[in-house]
Amino acid sequence: MSNIIFFGPPGAGKGTQAKIISEYLNVQHLSTGDILRKKLLEKDNLAIELKKIMASGNLVSDDILNSIVSSRLSKESGKGFILDGYPRTLHQSEFLNNFLSKTSSSINYIFNIQINFETLKNRILKRSSEESREDDNVDVIETRYNEYLNSTQKVTNSYKDIYRPNFYEIDGSLEIEEITQNIKEILKKS
Ligand code: AMP
């Protein structure tokens, strides 16, 4: 069974690789960003609130994210999953760790996609013209990157300690196909 987490700053290519690998392994791809963006279409009060937070590049509350993720993971229990964009805070990672221990499961692979700020800024700007995401503009990129540095990197470091043998650094500056190949090789070897 494969339970996988993709880490990395916004624009590193987590979503692209998570999608490819979920099809390759036939396990569900759980992108919290995609789930939240779908929620925005409902246009209720929660959606209006979420839209403001996401458009500014800040993080949505842990309670909302934990409830989204636990309900999805409970449904797919035992079939494997790929988490993309979660956990992003220490509180979320504690929640996930509790969930995993309650369901006697673990994380089999963690892929940390590394990329420098200049490269990711250019990528996000390119994606903004292709996907017209409101949070893909220069002002917001910096906020999102700072959220990553201030919150998510702490989570990544803690997982690096806990799951050291299953933690893999991935060079995110390569072409999409090369990155996929590197990930597949790790999956085949271990
Ligand atoms: P992403 O598509 O993963 O870059 O996420 C887009 C936006 O959704 C982020 O900038 C946050 O506002 C929100 N978001 C996604 N996942 C999380 C999370 N795990 N915790 C808090 N906010 C999140």
Side-chain angles (χ1 to χ4, degrees), residues 9-11 14 31-34 36-37 50 53-62 65-66 69 84-89 92 127 133 135-136 140 144 147 152:
K14 297 186 296 295
S31 156
T32 47
D34 284 352
L36 289 168
R37 278 184 286 280
L50 289 176
I53 300 169
M54 290 170 71
S56 67
N58 290 308
L59 293 179
V60 172
S61 84
D62 289 333
L65 267 298
N66 291 341
V69 169
D84 156 20
Y86 180 96
R88 257 174 155 108
T89 65
Q92 291 177 16
R127 185 172 70 185
R133 273 178 56 166
D135 58 350
D136 279 346
V140 178
R144 292 169 65 205
E147 286 280 26
T152 313

Side-chain angles (χ1 to χ4, degrees), residues 12-174:
K14 297 186 296 295
T16 305
Q17 296 300 330
K19 185 169 182 291
I20 296 171
I21 298 301
S22 83
E23 283 160 12
Y24 175 66
L25 295 174
N26 195 24
V27 294
Q28 78 152 337
H29 172 202
L30 228 157
S31 156
T32 47
D34 284 352
I35 295 168
L36 289 168
R37 278 184 286 280
K38 257 188 217 140
K39 177 80 198 143
L40 297 187
L41 302 174
E42 292 174 22
K43 296 198 164 40
D44 55 9
N45 283 345
L46 176 59
I48 293 165
E49 192 53 35
L50 289 176
K51 194 174 161 101
K52 259 192 259 162
I53 300 169
M54 290 170 71
S56 67
N58 290 308
L59 293 179
V60 172
S61 84
D62 289 333
D63 286 348
I64 292 180
L65 267 298
N66 291 341
S67 117
I68 289 174
V69 169
S70 66
S71 75
R72 293 293 181 106
L73 289 186
S74 304
K75 269 191 220 148
E76 295 289 324
S77 159
K79 294 184 199 151
F81 56 78
I82 296 183
L83 289 174
D84 156 20
Y86 180 96
R88 257 174 155 108
T89 65
L90 284 174
H91 188 244
Q92 291 177 16
S93 68
E94 279 158 23
F95 183 89
L96 177 66
N97 294 345
N98 277 336
F99 182 90
L100 292 172
S101 75
K102 265 197 243 151
T103 51
S104 310
S105 41
S106 183
I107 301 296
N108 308 103
Y109 300 93
I110 297 175
F111 297 113
N112 186 30
I113 307 187
Q114 305 268 27
I115 190 165
N116 69 41
F117 183 67
E118 271 313 298
T119 312
L120 73 86
K121 197 167 82 176
N122 293 333
R123 274 202 196 162
I124 291 181
L125 291 176
K126 186 165 172 274
R127 185 172 70 185
S128 89
S129 58
E130 289 163 2
E131 295 178 19
S132 61
R133 273 178 56 166
E134 257 187 66
D135 58 350
D136 279 346
N137 63 65
V138 182
D139 291 342
V140 178
I141 291 168
E142 222 164 306
T143 311
R144 292 169 65 205
Y145 192 66
N146 284 334
E147 286 280 26
Y148 170 76
L149 293 182
N150 296 332
S151 299
T152 313
Q153 242 181 5
K154 292 193 187 94
V155 179
T156 311
N157 290 338
S158 82
Y159 275 71
K160 200 174 191 167
D161 288 339
I162 306 172
Y163 290 103
R164 191 165 283 278
N166 305 347
F167 192 102
Y168 299 91
E169 302 285 5
I170 301 292
D171 180 355
S173 68
L174 302 173

